Every structure is written in structure tokens, then in C-alpha cells.
Amino acid sequence: MIKLLIFDMDGTIIDSDDVLIKTWEELFKLYKNNEVFNPDKIAEYSGPPLSYAINDAFKDFDDKEFIRQEYRARTKKYYDTDLHNFPNCKEVILKLFEDGIKLCILTAKNLEMTKYCLDKIGILECFDDLITCDSSFPSKPDPAAINYLLEKYNFKNNEAIMVGDTYYDALAAKNAHIDSIIFTMRKRVRLNEVNITFKAKDYLEFYDYIESRNKI
């Protein structure tokens, strides 16, 4: 029986690709001499820590911390205009909460924006733990945060699932010896490089899968 679901944020609960694209476009305009940002890069940048994207996009820029601060400061305004949650996300999360399944977050997003996004959707109170880039755990695909949640709530590995949209989510699940559900609403890279328990095209299919697992 599935008792714990560990959710990623970007590309999983929130559709933030347009937010990311506009933020990177602004940074490129300001600090890369109006170089055109390729939106397809979002498929690569969504998942790993922000430092990965900064080191890739600004290889020749000495002050990487400055770019990080600029990214954090400039992205906030786009969350008000270009952030969306996926269809049926809120309804399914609320139903899972009512079903008594423990819900947690494991994301590379910072705590402030994680709370902001969940509160904006109206599901913040559904989650018992928010593990973010501000936490002390190493980033996915390191399994430390997943192992912590399993131990904290005394769940077995076969009672937990990592829910995400990227290679890093699936690999973190593999490293922690738990199952993975990967959403396919947005284009992502490297998914063929790791075993995935189930791929869901939307939240209704995702919920049906959880229900079927808990009826066994």
C-alpha cells in the first residue's frame, strides 16, 4: 500500500516553464549582450539545482553568485503572471490528503517560493514536510532526503513513491530504492537513462494509478 508520496515542484505540481523562460531571457538580455535564450534549454535546466543552469548558461561569467541573486530577484514577478498549476492538480492533491496519504515536497526551489506556490494553489496545508534547496540535504539524485522521510515516518521503501518530471527525480527514487512516477506534461531530457515505475500523462491518470496500487 502506498502511504507516502514525495513530490517535486517545477514541472510536477506547478507549470513554471514559462516563468523560467522569461527569467532566463531577461538575464540574457542584461548580462549576455542580448544573446537569444533557447527555450528548449528548459528541458535541461528543469530538475537539477539552479547552480547547474547558471554554470552552463554563464560559463564565462566570473561572479556566479551575482547571477544567482539576480535570478532569484527577477523571477518573482513572473510567478504572478506566468505561473500555472497543472489541470486537476489541486483536486487530486486534496483527494490524496483526504485519503490519508502522507504528502511531502522535495524540490530544488527555495523555501520562500515553494510556500508561495503551494499557497497560491491552495494546497500548502496538505504537505507535512517541505524539503527545499534551503534544507541541509544534498540535492537530488542523492537519496538522503528520501531516506530521511522514510525513517521519520517509519515507512517501508515499497510504501513510498517519488513523484516528479525529470531524470533527477527518477534517479533519486532509484538511489533510495523506492518507486517513481514521472509526469510527461512537459518535454524533459534523459528520461530513457533510468528505470521509471510509471509515466503519467496527467493528474487523473496519476490518481488512478495510486488507487490501483492501494487496492492490491
Side-chain angles (χ1 to χ4, degrees):
M1 184 172 184
I2 304 305
K3 299 180 180 180
L4 171 65
L5 293 172
I6 306 168
F7 285 83
D8 174 54
M9 283 289 294
D10 292 286
T12 302
I13 289 180
I14 55 172
D15 186 2
S16 56
D17 279 25
D18 290 341
V19 172
L20 301 182
I21 288 170
K22 290 190 176 182
T23 304
W24 285 110
E25 285 178 339
E26 184 172 342
L27 291 176
F28 271 46
K29 180 178 180 180
L30 289 169
Y31 303 114
K32 296 198 75 174
N33 297 318
N34 287 313
E35 180 181 330
V36 177
F37 175 72
N38 180 4
D40 288 341
K41 269 292 184 180
I42 291 302
E44 180 182 339
Y45 289 170
S46 184
L50 178 58
S51 57
Y52 170 88
I54 291 174
N55 288 331
D56 182 72
F58 287 86
K59 294 182 179 71
D60 301 324
F61 199 94
D62 292 334
D63 194 348
K64 301 293 196 299
E65 181 58 29
F66 173 79
I67 296 297
R68 178 189 296 274
Q69 295 301 326
E70 281 289 275
Y71 181 95
R72 298 291 192 200
R74 294 178 180 280
T75 194
K76 289 181 180 180
K77 60 180 175 289
Y78 297 119
Y79 277 81
D80 291 326
T81 58
D82 294 272
L83 179 72
H84 311 283
N85 56 297
F86 288 103
N88 301 300
C89 170
K90 178 179 180 178
E91 293 79 4
V92 167
I93 295 293
L94 290 172
K95 186 66 172 66
L96 292 168
F97 179 72
E98 292 170 0
D99 291 344
I101 297 177
K102 190 164 291 293
L103 309 176
C104 298
I105 293 289
L106 175 54
T107 177
K109 187 180 293 300
N110 66 29
L111 181 61
E112 176 189 1
M113 295 311 297
T114 297
K115 287 184 174 180
Y116 173 85
C117 293
L118 294 174
D119 187 53
K120 184 176 181 180
I121 298 170
I123 56 175
L124 176 59
E125 300 305 319
C126 294
F127 293 90
D128 288 284
D129 274 277
L130 306 178
I131 298 179
T132 72
C133 68
D134 297 323
S135 305
S136 59
F137 296 100
S139 302
K140 294 175 285 188
D142 192 289
I146 297 175
N147 291 334
Y148 162 78
L149 292 171
L150 291 171
E151 183 176 353
K152 178 178 180 179
Y153 295 110
N154 194 30
F155 290 138
K156 299 175 183 177
N157 294 67
N158 63 1
E159 295 174 325
I161 296 179
M162 178 72 213
V163 185
D165 68 306
T166 72
Y167 163 84
Y168 296 91
D169 299 314
L171 187 57
K174 180 177 182 293
N175 290 340
H177 306 290
I178 68 171
D179 285 347
S180 60
I181 296 175
I182 298 298
F183 282 111
T184 59
M185 287 87 77
R186 286 288 200 170
K187 178 183 177 182
R188 296 293 182 253
V189 298
R190 302 183 65 187
L191 291 180
N192 63 336
E193 297 179 22
V194 62
N195 290 331
I196 295 168
T197 309
F198 183 74
K199 291 183 179 180
K201 69 177 184 297
D202 55 39
Y203 263 87
L204 295 181
E205 187 174 66
F206 162 71
Y207 184 75
D208 287 344
Y209 177 77
I210 298 298
E211 269 203 319
S212 69
R213 287 283 297 265
N214 282 348
K215 287 179 180 177
I216 296 175

